[in-house]
Every structure is written in C-alpha cells, then in structure tokens.
Amino acid sequence: QVQLVESGGGLAQPGGSLRLSCAASGFSLDYFTVGWFRQAPGKEREGVSCIGNDGSTYYSDSVKGRFTLSRDNAKNTVYLQMNSLKPEDTAAYYCSADYTLLCATQYFGVGQHQYDAWGQGTQVTVSS
C-alpha cells in the first residue's frame, strides 16, 4: 500500500523552528519528486518547496532562505526544516510524491493535482 505520512507539526513561536517529516511506505521515495504544500484557513493550497529525484530543490519566495528540504533515503523520508517561522506560515502542511513530475513551479498551482500520492497533512501554528 502506497502511503505518505507527515509528522512534526505543532505550535512554534515566531522566529522558532520546526522540522516536518514525510515518511513513505510501499514505495521507494528516493526515485520520486517530493513536494510540500500548505493550506491556510480560507486560502487555496499553495506550493512551498519540492525536491527532485536528482536532488534539485525549489522554494517559493515566501519561504526561500528559511526552509530547507533534505532526503534520508535510508529512512525513506524527506524532511522540511523550517526556521525563522512567521505567523503567516501557519497552515496545514502536506507532502506529495510523484514518479514522473519534475521539481518545478508549474506543479505548484493547479498543476499540483498531477502529484499522485498525498499525505494526510500536519498542522503548523506559529503564534506567541
């Protein structure tokens, strides 16, 4: 059974850090492009970052310089390290994976629906 499970969300203070994990089961994540998306209440889901199977990465302007993606192929997990958190980072965060898509912004908007596998999401709240 193909499954993605996010974890690591929670409450953080502005300026704080959290590390989200996206663990895969049923397939080998290192051959897949993995994307991270977030959805705040009342807003559309937006692309945050992605990492290709070649290690290439992309970050949206809103998180560039603050968030970092990494892979641990031995654990079949992708991590999203989030530093210098802001209240506007508050959202439900979702990871996704696809074997054929590139890590590219064209898959951040309406193109995100082309990702095959999605996790259930983890809530991140940034508040003092």
Side-chain angles (χ1 to χ4, degrees):
Q1 181 181 2
V2 174
Q3 191 175 19
L4 292 173
V5 178
E6 302 96 334
S7 61
L11 176 64
Q13 291 189 339
S17 298
L18 286 173
R19 188 179 76 161
L20 304 185
S21 300
C22 174
S25 60
F27 66 105
S28 183
L29 199 56
D30 52 331
Y31 296 111
F32 286 67
T33 289
V34 176
W36 280 94
F37 296 80
R38 66 186 182 187
Q39 187 168 22
K43 294 187 177 181
E44 293 186 352
R45 190 168 62 191
E46 63 173 355
V48 172
S49 181
C50 59
I51 183 166
N53 58 12
D54 60 353
S56 60
T57 55
Y58 177 83
Y59 301 92
S60 67
D61 288 342
S62 61
V63 306
K64 194 175 298 180
R66 300 188 297 121
F67 290 11
T68 304
L69 272 174
S70 62
R71 290 182 182 267
D72 186 335
N73 291 336
K75 295 184 177 180
N76 211 21
T77 299
V78 168
Y79 300 101
L80 182 66
Q81 178 68 43
M82 306 187 298
N83 298 329
S84 302
L85 284 165
K86 304 176 180 180
E88 51 264 43
D89 293 320
T90 295
Y93 283 71
Y94 301 87
C95 70
S96 60
D98 193 274
Y99 185 73
T100 60
L101 297 184
L102 299 175
C103 171
T105 56
Q106 68 193 87
Y107 302 115
F108 273 13
V110 295
Q112 64 183 258
H113 300 292
Q114 297 187 54
Y115 274 89
D116 273 343
W118 289 85
Q120 83 291 348
T122 185
Q123 179 66 36
V124 171
T125 301
V126 183
S127 175
S128 56

